[in-house]
Amino acid sequence: MTKRVFQVWKGSNKFILGGRLIFGPDARSLPLTLLLIIVPVVLFCVFVARHLRHEFSPYNAGYAILVVAILFTIYVLILLFFTSARDPGIVPRNLHPPEEELRYETTVSADGRQTPSVQIPRTKEVMVNGVSVRVKYCDTCMLYRPPRCSHCSICNNCVERFDHHCPWVGQCIGLRNYRYFFMFVSSSTLLCIYIFSMSAIYIKILMNDQQGTVWRAMKESPWSVVLMIYCFIALWFVGGLTAFHLYLISTNQTTYEKLRYRSSHSRSIVYNRGCPNNFLEVFCSKVKPSRNNFRAFIEEEPPRVVTLPSTTRESGEAEDENGPRRQKVEDDLDIGEDLINLSQRCNAEEANNNQPHHTLDIDHERAGSIRTEARHGSWGRRSGSWDVAAATDVRESRSYATAKEARG
């Protein structure tokens, strides 16, 4: 049965709904993030916003506080979903290394043997906005990473315009979800400020109604105090993260580039188009479509063989083994048979003429050994050590037989 791309995906991502949604390998942290958002809002609606419904004129204007809290929370959750459940900009892997970048090199060993090998340059230079930028080759994805692309060790993917991997959303932050990530963080900051402010206002109202001190008002509504403390702590994280990414957007940098190339000023200005254009690029440009179709069916690709250039020495040896060497072995087999036949014929003639002093004594074991050595020599490289002696024996035997016939 043909499988889909997401079923054989080599990255560490997790897919649901048949590959329609993609998460990082640490998506288990998402429930915790949801609880950190939903639980404070529920407590705020129950213990604070409910009591503020009739505290503003006109009489029911306080309902807006409750409605705003609910709608704004839904908006934050939608941004969280867009950040964590979509392709962040994964670069598709290659099935084979790029052939146009392959380099064939030959190494010579101590014994003179040449061994061809295939190598790929680790880096190459590309031009970005008129500036030469070095890009690296990724052994895992078998491609040269595009500029501003990096390989995430957690997701095991190369991600375009890689910013960082966020464990709170369980996904890489890259080209296709950075906008939603920043909007999620900044919206969470505004939500914290909103809950903190409304809780403080409720404490102020209790002080005015009861003509008491702040401590008495805090005892009257302890959940307001808890929410204020929680939002104050959360603001240090989400608020600080919002301020940091505002700076990155204004200079058109990523978190990865800022931390890795902090001392390289030339690299930071390659992509900087000015503060207004940098903000327009992040928030007003069209989001590029995904380069991966995770629901597509896999097409079987025939295996490809990379042909290495053969050396002259190896080609000559191969020719010798397949051509002249085989012919040489066959000739030696014929020599062994001729020696046996010649020995039998000469001995028969000597027996008829009663001339024992002319007997040709040829060792049949030696003739048989020639045949055996010939067969054995076809598997080795030094099988030519006996062919001269064998040919000499044949010539001597044949000349002796010719002289004997002439005398007879």
Side-chain angles (χ1 to χ4, degrees), residues 288-349:
K288 294 184 178 181
S290 175
R291 300 173 64 178
N292 302 277
N293 185 4
F294 299 108
R295 291 182 48 78
F297 291 100
I298 299 177
E299 297 181 359
E300 295 293 337
E301 183 176 349
R304 304 191 316 183
V305 178
V306 178
T307 304
L308 298 178
S310 58
T311 60
T312 305
R313 177 177 178 180
E314 292 178 350
S315 301
E317 291 180 355
E319 182 179 357
D320 292 342
E321 291 180 358
N322 296 332
R325 179 183 293 275
R326 179 171 297 179
Q327 182 65 33
K328 182 175 179 297
V329 171
E330 294 176 355
D331 293 341
D332 292 335
L333 293 176
D334 294 337
I335 291 173
E337 293 178 356
D338 290 342
L339 287 174
I340 295 174
N341 295 333
L342 183 59
S343 173
Q344 293 175 353
R345 188 178 63 180
C346 293
N347 291 335
E349 291 178 355

Side-chain angles (χ1 to χ4, degrees), residues 257-269:
E257 293 170 346
K258 180 63 179 177
L259 299 179
R260 183 176 178 86
Y261 308 107
R262 63 178 64 184
S263 60
S264 178
H265 178 70
S266 59
R267 190 178 184 91
S268 63
I269 65 176

Side-chain angles (χ1 to χ4, degrees), residues 39-66:
V39 171
V41 174
V42 172
L43 294 175
F44 171 78
C45 294
V46 173
F47 297 103
V48 177
R50 183 171 62 90
H51 299 291
L52 294 175
R53 291 176 298 171
H54 308 299
E55 296 294 335
F56 300 93
S57 58
Y59 184 71
N60 294 326
Y63 279 100
I65 298 175
L66 184 62

Side-chain angles (χ1 to χ4, degrees), residues 339-341 343-344 347 361-370:
L339 287 174
I340 295 174
N341 295 333
S343 173
Q344 293 175 353
N347 291 335
D361 187 11
I362 297 178
D363 190 356
H364 293 269
E365 292 182 358
R366 175 174 176 79
S369 65
I370 293 177

Side-chain angles (χ1 to χ4, degrees), residues 242-262:
T242 301
F244 176 67
H245 280 278
L246 281 173
Y247 163 73
L248 293 179
I249 294 175
S250 64
T251 57
N252 205 334
Q253 299 182 77
T254 64
T255 302
Y256 179 80
E257 293 170 346
K258 180 63 179 177
L259 299 179
R260 183 176 178 86
Y261 308 107
R262 63 178 64 184

Side-chain angles (χ1 to χ4, degrees), residues 77-110:
L77 296 179
I78 292 175
L79 291 175
L80 175 61
F81 175 79
F82 283 164
T83 303
S84 60
R86 67 184 300 157
D87 178 7
I90 299 175
V91 181
R93 302 184 182 212
N94 287 335
L95 298 178
H96 311 279
E99 293 185 356
E100 63 276 6
E101 303 292 343
L102 295 180
R103 292 183 180 178
Y104 300 96
E105 298 183 359
T106 302
T107 58
V108 181
S109 59

